[in-house]
Amino acid sequence: MASDGARKQFWKRSTSKVPGSIQHVYGAQHPPFDPLLHSTLLKSTPKVPTTPVKAKRVSTFQEFESNTSDAWDAGEDDDELLAMAAQSLNTEVVMETAHRVLRNHSQQQGRPAPQQVPTPEPELQPVAEPPPALIGDLRLVKSVSESHTSCAAESASDPVPLQRSQSLPHSATVTLGGMPEPSTLGSSALSEREASRLDKFKQLLAEPNTDLEELRKLSWSGIPKPVRPMTWKLLSGYLPANVERRPATLQRKQKEYFAFIEHYYDSRNDEVHQDTYRQIHIDIPRMSPEALILQPKVTEIFERILFIWAIRHPASGYVQGINDLVTPFFVVFICEYIVEEEDVDRLNISRVPAEVVRNVEADTYWCMSKLLDGIQDNYTFAQPGIQMKVKMLEELVSRIDEPVHQHLDQHEVRYLQFAFRWMNNLLMRELPLHCTIRLWDTYQVSAPPPASRNPRAFHISTCTFVLLSS
Amino acid sequence: MAETYDFLFKFLVIGSAGTGKSCLLHQFIENKFKQDSNHTIGVEFGSRVVNVGGKTVKLQIWDTAGQERFRSVTRSYYRGAAGALLVYDITSRETYNSLAAWLTDARTLASPNIVVILCGNKKDLDPEREVTFLEASRFAQENELMFLETSALTGENVEEAFLKCARTILNKIDSGELDPERMGSGIQYGDASLRQLRQPRSAQAVAPQPCGC
């Protein structure tokens, strides 16, 4: 065995930066955050709020879903939500909530409230919508990745992966930006709103030149199902705003994609590409929602899309997680061609006309490419995009909920340990698919051009929301 | 009431993509095969308290992603691990060939003294075998690793792999070869009754307490 001196040397050396790593993790030196233990505690002991201030809001995901008039499903949203798209309101809500939180905290700690809320990175501010909704004073922190390990049978097709927080006391007051709760709205009023929203979308889309700015505003609070495919194609920049140019563009792009296939796809078994193909090939069956993706035809489509993307983007190539990003596009685009009632999981692809499937494949490829253009640094060497985003998440949490931040720090939990996957898979493993799709409605509009295809800022806000509300 | 244990060991599960790392962990913790296992992104955790040689040991297991691109990130999780399961797939020569690189990572980034057990997983797929037991055991011997062939599907040797690794660490503690109090040993005392940890911060965190949140 090496002498003590030598060992010290070794450790001394390794405290310095190791290539490609940002931080070391001292998971075993101190009693680490124990997800299994922690969740058992959560389940068995109903939490008694320690202070009245803290008792305010604790909500489960379903509760949040049912208490907000958002477009979780096509057209469920209402006009009030449109107002939230206005940046001024967002900023106001953010500031107000931030002030309130700071006030509460300082009261607890017996310190005067700071006059000024620290200004977050400019790009974070306008889109920090979700945190105000759930900046509860909830101090429970639970990595969602933990629920994966501890919940044996959980599959990603489980529609309610966040339900374990159900045993938490229910909130008395959940409001989102002062909106009325859906229960106060008559269902007929709701459907009228739905219809009028849908009309607005249809009008916009039918204009000779779609006003993309207006479309963004409208899409922020969710896109009705019937117009979602077209709206996504426009917002991602795949299709032009000019209505007359769209069919030709579609045709050209679809042709282009299939030319790639013809050109490159046979090379998947060549020595240079076989690792990539092999990885894609073994990953797709391990994805969800299985029922759809496990159909051989769909599996093949995913393989083609991912392989072509990977070899055309050698800087990152195929990285696990990218496969997940194909799903929302594919599902949204294929849904355009299936009967309303039909569950996408039960869709039999061989009953959809071949021409339609081909078009969906090409559209999926291009829209996924557009999305990935903005986040490719998530997947290049050492994954700098993810490292940076995790840092931003940490920064944001430390500013809006210092106790949570300190709690994590005290238990030596590094953000990278639980938030890596949130960034790498855009929360797709954490949320049911229909929520991801709804989330992506907003991702598509969250940043103005030229970074229009970069859902970074809104995504970080969403992650903050997940962390502070779970 | 929190569980009590004499020691806590940090374990890693490492190896190439698709070798069955998460399934081994799942089998060890849940006693069943994880049918719909998704590929791991980053790291996932599991823990189980086991009895080894009269001692209660809590194994805190870090299950890492296998794909090459995640390596720079997963490496940051290695620090201070006491033990590791180094996993390859007996039906894939490729996963066997990359063992040396994984081992180097473990020894340089976790600790030179890390106790490693080599696991040739997917033992149930013997007809498709590409790596013989003999050559793997030779590799293990040359590199001072313990070695088992395992099956996360049937559960064969899964528990043994974890326990064997834990037992070896305990023996090394007994013989003085491993010092649990050394920084980065990957070992902690579990109970105040055994010994107080030196750092006030960790001592505070060791006491199971409602965190007031």
Side-chain angles (χ1 to χ4, degrees):
Chain A
M1 205 165 55
S3 74
D4 261 336
R7 255 192 270 140
K8 259 182 210 129
Q9 270 300 336
F10 171 76
W11 287 110
K12 211 170 166 183
R13 257 186 286 128
S14 33
T15 4
S16 72
K17 262 194 143 174
V18 176
S21 85
I22 282 250
Q23 269 174 329
H24 288 300
V25 173
Y26 299 85
Q29 267 85 355
H30 309 289
F33 177 70
D34 178 356
L36 291 172
L37 175 63
H38 203 81
S39 66
T40 336
L41 274 177
L42 281 183
K43 268 188 234 155
S44 52
T45 1
K47 286 275 174 184
V48 180
T50 43
T51 65
V53 203
K54 286 182 178 180
K56 280 197 316 193
R57 296 190 207 119
V58 181
S59 70
T60 63
F61 181 76
Q62 290 106 318
E63 217 185 324
F64 175 65
E65 186 177 359
S66 62
N67 279 322
T68 48
S69 336
D70 209 344
W72 296 103
D73 301 302
E76 244 178 50
D77 39 3
D78 57 52
D79 283 342
E80 277 91 336
L81 259 172
L82 288 182
M84 298 201 56
Q87 269 200 4
S88 56
L89 177 58
N90 290 337
T91 316
E92 222 177 277
V93 174
V94 172
M95 295 310 264
E96 194 203 294
T97 315
H99 275 299
R100 198 171 60 237
V101 170
L102 285 174
R103 229 174 12 247
N104 287 346
H105 288 179
S106 54
Q107 273 165 10
Q108 270 166 256
Q109 293 154 7
R111 280 203 318 252
Q115 289 307 300
Q116 191 59 48
V117 182
T119 316
E121 264 84 357
E123 54 197 329
L124 288 177
Q125 200 172 7
V127 291
E129 191 192 67
L134 277 116
I135 296 179
D137 286 317
L138 179 57
R139 300 286 174 275
L140 298 170
V141 175
K142 184 168 63 63
S143 152
V144 184
S145 63
E146 146 222 334
S147 61
H148 229 77
T149 329
S150 58
C151 178
E154 185 186 280
S155 71
S157 56
D158 185 343
V160 280
L162 299 178
Q163 80 186 127
R164 60 182 53 233
S165 43
Q166 242 172 350
S167 59
L168 301 173
H170 281 186
S171 115
T173 52
V174 175
T175 51
L176 182 59
M179 285 184 319
E181 293 186 19
S183 55
T184 63
L185 303 163
S187 58
S188 58
L190 249 180
S191 55
E192 244 172 64
R193 281 206 185 83
E194 270 172 43
S196 93
R197 247 173 82 72
L198 182 56
D199 277 350
K200 278 187 208 161
F201 269 98
K202 282 183 172 162
Q203 263 173 28
L204 266 178
L205 295 176
E207 277 168 16
N209 277 298
T210 298
D211 181 346
L212 290 179
E213 208 34 61
E214 203 51 42
L215 192 63
R216 280 196 192 94
K217 270 189 201 163
L218 211 51
S219 301
W220 175 273
S221 48
I223 303 167
K225 200 174 169 188
V227 289
R228 184 176 273 138
M230 179 52 80
T231 309
W232 277 21
K233 286 173 200 168
L234 283 168
L235 292 178
S236 68
Y238 171 44
L239 283 189
N242 184 306
V243 77
E244 279 168 20
R245 283 176 48 217
R246 278 177 214 158
T249 307
L250 269 178
Q251 244 180 15
R252 184 167 49 81
K253 289 307 231 180
Q254 285 163 358
K255 231 169 120 185
E256 199 179 335
Y257 170 72
F258 285 101
F260 290 157
I261 301 250
E262 212 166 292
H263 199 130
Y264 298 115
Y265 199 56
D266 283 340
S267 70
R268 66 188 181 282
N269 293 316
D270 292 359
E271 211 181 325
V272 271
H273 295 316
Q274 66 181 11
D275 282 354
T276 299
Y277 180 71
R278 187 188 144 272
Q279 191 66 56
I280 293 170
H281 186 71
I282 65 169
D283 282 349
I284 289 173
R286 320 198 252 174
M287 285 169 62
S288 52
E290 297 140 275
L292 176 64
I293 293 166
L294 284 184
Q295 294 177 35
K297 266 194 175 172
V298 182
T299 305
E300 283 165 23
I301 290 172
F302 273 57
E303 282 182 4
R304 281 196 294 268
I305 290 176
L306 287 166
F307 181 75
I308 297 295
W309 188 88
I311 60 169
R312 285 178 49 81
H313 297 82
S316 64
Y318 168 74
V319 177
Q320 291 176 333
I322 292 180
N323 51 344
D324 276 348
L325 306 184
V326 181
T327 313
F329 291 115
F330 185 78
V331 167
V332 164
F333 295 155
I334 199 87
C335 275
E336 205 176 355
Y337 301 99
I338 62 174
V339 199
E340 188 81 21
E341 273 69 41
E342 205 170 345
D343 182 0
V344 74
D345 255 0
R346 257 170 256 140
L347 167 77
N348 182 352
I349 195 83
S350 49
R351 276 188 303 177
V352 183
E355 191 51 35
V356 166
V357 177
R358 271 173 68 89
N359 293 348
V360 167
E361 177 175 343
D363 295 348
T364 303
Y365 172 81
W366 288 113
C367 286
M368 185 199 76
S369 296
K370 295 282 188 191
L371 171 76
L372 283 168
D373 281 349
I375 54 171
Q376 204 189 340
D377 62 349
N378 277 3
Y379 307 106
T380 50
F381 178 74
Q383 306 191 263
I386 292 186
Q387 310 253 17
M388 180 197 65
K389 274 167 246 186
V390 170
K391 280 248 171 295
M392 286 166 80
L393 171 69
E394 182 170 357
E395 174 75 21
L396 191 59
V397 172
S398 75
R399 287 183 187 195
I400 64 178
D401 206 331
E402 177 71 17
V404 164
H405 182 71
Q406 277 174 1
H407 182 80
L408 292 173
D409 187 53
Q410 191 191 353
H411 290 81
E412 305 277 332
V413 177
R414 302 281 167 251
Y415 283 72
L416 198 63
Q417 288 163 14
F418 62 83
F420 182 84
R421 192 172 73 192
W422 299 1
M423 306 304 172
N424 192 76
N425 295 35
L426 290 182
L427 283 172
M428 282 197 59
R429 293 258 190 116
E430 277 61 45
L431 298 172
L433 184 63
H434 74 280
C435 292
T436 297
I437 288 174
R438 166 59 192 91
L439 202 52
W440 283 25
D441 288 345
T442 304
Y443 281 177
Q444 309 261 15
V445 295
S446 60
S452 61
R453 297 181 295 272
N454 188 344
R456 188 177 70 196
F458 182 74
H459 182 65
I460 291 164
S461 306
T462 311
C463 290
T464 311
F465 152 89
V466 168
L467 176 62
L468 298 182
S469 63
S470 48
Chain B
M1 183 59 207
E3 52 204 330
T4 55
Y5 46 82
D6 298 317
F7 290 104
L8 186 147
F9 296 164
K10 173 174 173 177
F11 268 31
L12 299 172
V13 188
I14 54 177
S16 299
T19 51
K21 296 178 292 299
S22 300
C23 289
L24 281 172
L25 175 62
H26 193 82
Q27 177 64 257
F28 177 62
I29 294 193
E30 307 281 343
N31 270 314
K32 53 187 174 216
F33 179 63
K34 194 176 183 189
Q35 201 58 251
D36 51 355
S37 184
N38 209 326
H39 44 77
T40 307
I41 304 291
V43 68
E44 293 189 16
F45 302 93
S47 69
R48 190 180 139 185
V49 176
V50 293
N51 271 301
V52 189
K55 293 269 197 302
T56 328
V57 179
K58 179 168 182 167
L59 301 182
Q60 181 203 66
I61 305 152
W62 297 48
D63 171 27
T64 62
Q67 204 195 354
E68 179 66 32
R69 181 51 41 87
F70 296 125
R71 210 126 149 198
S72 53
V73 170
T74 50
R75 276 170 165 168
S76 68
Y77 305 134
Y78 281 34
R79 185 79 190 267
L85 271 74
L86 173 58
V87 187
Y88 71 96
D89 171 358
I90 65 156
T91 70
S92 160
R93 164 123 341 238
E94 212 183 322
T95 65
Y96 176 78
N97 289 343
S98 56
L99 286 175
W102 287 105
L103 189 59
T104 308
D105 267 12
R107 292 206 163 130
T108 47
L109 299 171
S111 151
N113 300 318
I114 187 170
V115 175
V116 182
I117 181 160
L118 180 65
C119 298
N121 196 29
K122 309 197 185 176
K123 187 174 193 284
D124 49 287
L125 296 178
D126 202 59
E128 296 163 48
R129 179 189 285 277
E130 286 184 4
V131 182
T132 66
F133 182 87
L134 205 67
E135 62 179 317
S137 50
R138 203 174 301 130
F139 175 85
Q141 214 162 32
E142 283 163 7
N143 292 282
E144 298 177 311
L145 312 170
M146 293 174 288
F147 173 52
L148 279 177
E149 283 194 342
T150 58
S151 166
L153 180 70
T154 66
E156 188 180 350
N157 279 341
V158 174
E159 182 132 338
E160 287 76 356
F162 285 93
L163 294 185
K164 208 168 170 177
C165 198
R167 199 174 303 120
T168 308
I169 295 169
L170 272 179
N171 289 342
K172 288 194 172 186
I173 294 172
D174 283 346
S175 70
E177 203 180 325
L178 278 179
D179 175 10
E181 300 209 24
R182 188 177 53 85
M183 266 292 280
S185 69
I187 303 161
Q188 297 168 38
Y189 293 107
D191 278 327
S193 63
L194 257 170
R195 207 166 193 161
Q196 276 295 340
L197 280 180
R198 280 178 180 160
Q199 289 118 321
R201 192 179 187 186
S202 33
Q204 178 202 352
V206 126
Q209 54 182 9
C211 48
C213 49

